[in-house]
Amino acid sequence: MPLIVQKFGGTSVADSEKILGAARKAIRAQQQGNQVVMVVSAMGKNTDMLIGLANEISERPPAREMDMLLSTGEQVSVALMAMAIHALGSQAVSLTGAQIGIKTDDTHTKARIKSISTERMQQLLDEGNIVIAAGFQGITDHFDITTLGRGGSDTTAVALAAVLGADACEIYTDVDGVYSTDPRVLPEARCVDQISYDEMLELASLGAGVMHNRSIEFAKKYQVPIHVRSSLSDAPGSMIIVEPESVERPVCGAAVTEKEALVSVLDVPDRPGVSLEIFSRVANRNVTVDMIVQNVGEDGKADISFTVPRDEIGITLEAVQEAIQQLDAGRITHDDNVSKVSVVGLGMAKQAGVAETMFAALGRENVNIQMITTSEIKISVLVERDSALPALRAVHKAFDLETAPPAAKATGSSSLVHAEADAADVVARLQGVDMEELVLDDISLDESQGRVTISGVPDIPGVAAKVFHEIAEANIFVDMIVQNRDSHEEHASLSFTVPREKVDDSVVVAGRLAEQFSCTGVSSCPNIAKLSVSGVGLRSHTSVAIRMFRALADIGVNVAMINTSEVRVNVIVDGDKGERALESLKAVFADVLR
Ligand code: ASP
Ligand code: MG
């Protein structure tokens, strides 16, 4: 018999009427011949209310007790949901995370799932029950209650769908599906028919709101097709699966992360191990670093800049302060008045001119770009907070995100079949691994590129647009782009990588533009090596970048450029160190490479 998991978020179970409505959906699915597992969140704003209470009592409530408290929210909703189903004449049994056997590690308030037993759920289902599982919670080996982090019920739902081999995982929420950008921010946002796991992972971690990003990691790892839909309307919703909505469109979504803060560490020695010194201290405080930009060092000194969520600036500065004391060099500046605007799309990996389109749109709006980082499927820029909204609107329009792509496929049933076939393989391959453990699928070396750097770029709107326009005109495909704001002066330095045989052409183009914009100079290095580590969980396991830095520092290799995404970390090192670096990364990650 087909099995479906239906998850109802807080707003979908906010009052008794909504609980009865959700119960009817589950009963209908059961009557249509499915076994049904429901996953429910705490009612409405119940979790916030509980956190508020805890904070009235203590500024720093013990994490274990926090979990004890927060897990009650979901316990209330599962019981009421089971009662609702009984009242409507069907059979249901509610279960807490502990009763199901959702084993987690002991990181209270953000525990990771290790394993889930299916026996009890399967037996209850076979007896004709709707199983109602409490979202967001689990239990440690020592029977302490844990929670998975805010929004964690999505992760429970996808994890249950994975272990039960569910045919569908439906996420019921208060919006119609996944949007090209947050519709509360931009009313012209479009609800997409379909989006790929990788794209959704990027958008989720950029704060696109719809789903917990660990739930997407799960879905990708175990190939669970997700259907996001409204509990309030009959809108068709959005599928999250392997394939993107359109292969022609370079970009599928845009996002703004308003509350960012920029930290710059200036004048640190340009030698192996310095990034490690800084970032390992930040990671130890559990702060996720984004948009890392490192100046290609001149006169033996380097500047390293990165962004963190604004409310984590305090602990970040503490960590960096420690690092510069340790290094006995460098100074720190920071800026809280910045926002990050990003575009995401699988299609951009294969198309030229995508960055140009974005930068040109920003230039037309007179938005000054302070920093740029790119990955295979994402371009992010840092702008002044006041320009964030106009910037988002401009790029959303530039990539036609408000209209459906021309050859939009219907919600792909063929992809589901495909995904299902793979799912069994994947589950077999991951047998015996903790479910949320980091898994790498590739470590590779690319020796086909060179780097070009323009320094002393005036910090005014439109320069990046012009540079990448001319480069695209010259038919040169740009891979990594990194721009930082040089905090010494009102200047930036802009580096990018191109195919090695195009370095000379690029230098000619860059030289012409450098003259036109009175930049200080152009330098290049035809001999660089790009090392990439890819897999699932790279950013939520902050240790990956740190382990890479450590491995490279240990063999004396300096990192010249770096970019990170949800699924990949790329670093650029000296060309003649590529092979060695590759060997060392393979050794360091041997335990998680599958
Ligand atoms: N109730 C939890 C929260 O509000 C979990 C969830 O809703 O997914 O974060
Ligand atoms: Mg939620």
Side-chain angles (χ1 to χ4, degrees):
M1 200 186 280
L3 190 155
I4 95 173
V5 173
Q6 297 185 322
K7 182 255 170 179
F8 294 86
T11 47
S12 309
V13 294
D15 55 37
S16 47
E17 215 155 290
K18 294 209 168 108
I19 292 179
L20 284 160
R24 280 191 203 97
K25 279 201 164 53
I27 293 172
R28 199 182 318 140
Q30 193 189 38
Q31 285 169 349
Q32 286 163 353
N34 299 291
Q35 292 191 325
V36 181
V37 174
M38 293 176 92
V39 174
V40 280
S41 293
M43 294 171 69
K45 299 251 172 272
N46 205 357
T47 308
D48 292 329
M49 191 271 292
L50 293 171
I51 293 174
L53 271 177
N55 290 338
E56 279 173 31
I57 302 242
S58 158
E59 254 172 49
R60 279 179 178 244
R64 179 188 182 279
E65 305 311 329
M66 210 56 197
D67 280 350
M68 185 68 99
L69 178 69
L70 296 191
S71 66
T72 63
E74 273 69 15
Q75 196 169 332
V76 169
S77 359
V78 287
L80 291 173
M81 188 63 76
M83 291 176 196
I85 290 178
H86 282 278
L88 294 168
S90 294
Q91 267 173 265
V93 175
S94 65
L95 296 173
T96 63
Q99 286 174 316
I100 295 170
I102 300 184
K103 284 280 177 60
T104 71
D105 64 15
D106 51 14
T107 327
H108 285 287
T109 76
K110 39 185 163 223
R112 285 176 189 277
I113 299 178
K114 298 204 299 190
S115 65
I116 300 179
S117 31
T118 52
E119 253 164 55
R120 183 156 183 197
M121 285 188 290
Q122 200 60 65
Q123 189 186 336
L124 289 167
L125 290 169
D126 291 343
E127 291 164 6
N129 295 289
I130 293 176
V131 168
I132 303 168
F136 174 57
Q137 54 179 262
I139 192 126
T140 66
D141 288 339
H142 308 291
F143 300 99
D144 284 320
I145 295 174
T146 50
T147 63
L148 309 179
R150 295 307 306 273
S153 297
D154 290 333
T155 295
T156 307
V158 179
L160 292 183
V163 292
L164 291 165
D167 298 274
C169 180
E170 300 181 335
I171 305 287
Y172 285 94
T173 173
D174 55 351
V175 292
D176 283 345
V178 176
Y179 280 80
S180 54
T181 196
D182 187 340
R184 288 165 304 188
V185 179
L186 279 196
E188 62 266 41
R190 184 178 71 92
C191 181
V192 305
D193 292 335
Q194 180 176 319
I195 185 165
S196 68
Y197 294 128
D198 285 354
E199 292 167 331
M200 193 66 225
L201 266 173
E202 298 294 346
L203 288 171
S205 79
L206 291 169
V210 212
M211 289 194 68
H212 197 223
N213 64 338
R214 276 163 53 198
S215 71
I216 312 294
E217 292 183 351
F218 247 109
K220 178 181 178 188
K221 198 154 156 188
Y222 292 91
Q223 308 267 299
V224 178
I226 298 179
H227 189 177
V228 181
R229 50 196 309 191
S230 168
S231 58
L232 314 165
S233 80
D234 282 325
S238 312
M239 293 301 303
I240 308 175
I241 52 179
V242 176
E243 292 92 355
E245 186 174 44
S246 154
V247 282
E248 283 96 49
R249 281 267 175 103
V251 167
C252 74
V256 58
T257 318
E258 266 181 295
K259 295 189 173 151
E260 291 278 288
L262 171 67
V263 179
S264 298
V265 194
L266 308 173
D267 297 330
V268 287
D270 183 22
R271 60 169 156 77
V274 170
S275 310
L276 174 67
E277 190 64 49
I278 296 169
F279 293 118
S280 60
R281 285 173 199 273
V282 177
N284 280 342
R285 287 170 168 79
N286 272 321
V287 177
T288 308
V289 168
D290 193 31
M291 290 191 81
I292 304 176
V293 169
Q294 177 166 0
N295 250 10
V296 179
E298 277 158 40
D299 53 42
K301 295 247 165 82
D303 297 341
I304 298 173
S305 299
F306 56 93
T307 61
V308 294
R310 193 170 49 161
D311 48 14
E312 295 182 347
I313 182 77
I315 41 174
T316 305
L317 290 176
E318 255 173 54
V320 178
Q321 192 62 47
E322 258 177 42
I324 65 171
Q325 256 154 26
Q326 187 66 33
L327 293 167
D328 202 17
R331 57 197 174 86
I332 311 171
T333 64
H334 67 102
D335 181 352
D336 301 353
N337 187 33
V338 288
S339 297
K340 178 176 63 176
V341 176
S342 310
V343 297
V344 169
L346 277 185
M348 74 173 68
K350 299 204 176 59
Q351 291 185 30
V354 182
E356 181 211 335
T357 304
M358 177 170 185
F359 303 152
L362 296 171
R364 282 194 300 273
E365 283 298 307
N366 220 17
V367 173
N368 189 31
I369 304 174
Q370 302 190 357
M371 250 167 100
I372 303 170
T373 57
T374 63
S375 75
E376 277 69 12
I377 67 167
K378 178 176 71 178
I379 304 170
S380 296
V381 297
L382 199 69
V383 301
E384 197 185 45
R385 176 149 316 121
D386 282 345
S387 348
L389 196 56
L392 178 70
R393 174 162 289 132
V395 299
H396 194 270
K397 179 138 188 45
F399 289 106
D400 280 331
L401 294 181
E402 69 282 0
T403 60
K409 290 182 283 176
T411 316
S413 53
S414 62
S415 351
L416 294 191
V417 174
H418 160 78
E420 231 178 84
D422 290 348
D425 285 0
V426 177
V427 174
R429 190 157 54 93
L430 295 173
Q431 228 22 275
V433 183
D434 281 357
M435 293 189 81
E436 288 194 76
E437 200 52 9
L438 172 71
V439 172
L440 298 186
D441 48 38
D442 194 32
I443 300 177
S444 60
L445 168 65
D446 171 0
E447 295 184 300
S448 68
Q449 299 194 50
R451 169 185 59 79
V452 179
T453 299
I454 311 179
S455 39
V457 179
D459 202 9
I460 51 169
V463 182
K466 186 83 178 142
V467 170
F468 293 104
H469 173 73
E470 303 265 317
I471 294 284
E473 287 284 281
N475 253 326
I476 299 169
F477 185 86
V478 175
D479 179 17
M480 285 170 75
I481 301 174
V482 156
Q483 179 195 297
N484 82 337
R485 182 170 59 166
D486 181 339
S487 314
H488 297 275
E489 305 144 68
E490 290 301 289
H491 282 130
S493 105
L494 179 59
S495 297
F496 52 95
T497 67
V498 296
R500 196 165 286 176
E501 67 279 6
K502 299 279 189 183
V503 169
D504 290 344
D505 293 356
S506 306
V507 168
V508 172
V509 174
R512 199 169 58 226
L513 291 166
E515 200 161 313
Q516 187 181 333
F517 289 105
S518 320
C519 307
T520 37
V522 175
S523 63
S524 69
C525 173
N527 188 25
I528 58 168
K530 175 181 175 188
L531 292 145
S532 309
V533 168
S534 63
V536 180
L538 293 196
R539 281 225 316 161
S540 62
H541 289 267
T542 40
S543 62
V544 176
I546 303 299
R547 281 164 81 179
M548 277 179 92
F549 285 142
R550 179 163 296 134
L552 297 173
D554 282 350
I555 56 167
V557 171
N558 208 4
V559 174
M561 280 166 84
I562 173 164
N563 69 32
T564 60
S565 72
E566 296 306 308
V567 296
R568 216 169 151 107
V569 179
N570 298 308
V571 298
I572 299 287
V573 303
D574 255 8
D576 51 1
K577 306 250 171 77
E579 287 292 344
R580 257 207 77 213
L582 180 67
E583 287 321 306
S584 120
L585 291 180
K586 282 193 169 154
V588 164
F589 289 113
D591 58 326
V592 284
L593 187 63
R594 291 175 199 273

